[in-house]
Amino acid sequence: EAEVINDAVCMRVFELFRTHLLKARYTEPSAGDEPPSDPDERTELFVGDLSASQLEHYHKAQSRLDEQGVMEVCLETIANDDVEAKMNPLNTCAIELAIELQIGGNPVTQASVARYINSQNGAKLLTALHERIHKTTEMLEVHRVAQ
């Protein structure tokens, strides 16, 4: 039971960090702007749509999380994935956060990934990723043949 609770807490923390980064890519309406006529109008900016100052702000948000060790925790979680089992939600959250930390080509977070891969834990991460890709490819092949 404690492991399940810990996974749930970790997932909430990963989602909180990811939401923090997503908010760094949202635009705030100007004071004189009319409210959008379409409530579903996109306010999230894709990284390619960010101005230089917005991208700098986004990179700073990513770097602050990286300085606190968030990227390393994500990579550790992914490296410790049980590839024989179905991917659990904690690993999915870790992957989504790791991707969000990499979006936009932040050199600080990229350097953290490179350091991790070049550390003694890197082989475990790469093995887990390789095995997960291999298993997924096998499942896709079985699905393709079945159709």
Side-chain angles (χ1 to χ4, degrees), residues 59 62-67 71 75 98 100-103 105-115:
H59 279 180
Q62 291 172 316
S63 297
R64 281 191 301 270
L65 289 178
D66 182 66
E67 289 167 6
M71 179 60 84
L75 297 174
E100 192 64 38
L101 285 162
Q102 291 294 298
I103 287 177
N106 186 329
V108 173
T109 59
Q110 289 176 350
S112 290
V113 173
R115 271 191 309 276

Side-chain angles (χ1 to χ4, degrees), residues 25-82:
R25 289 196 281 138
Y26 274 78
T27 57
E28 294 293 329
S30 299
D33 287 352
E34 293 180 29
S37 56
D38 178 7
D40 295 327
E41 183 178 331
R42 180 173 73 100
T43 56
E44 177 185 0
L45 293 176
F46 295 103
V47 173
D49 298 334
L50 296 175
S51 68
S53 64
Q54 289 170 321
L55 184 60
E56 182 181 349
H57 171 74
Y58 182 62
H59 279 180
K60 284 181 181 178
Q62 291 172 316
S63 297
R64 281 191 301 270
L65 289 178
D66 182 66
E67 289 167 6
Q68 299 300 316
V70 173
M71 179 60 84
E72 185 174 353
V73 171
C74 287
L75 297 174
E76 274 297 313
T77 302
I78 297 165
N80 288 305
D81 181 23
D82 179 6

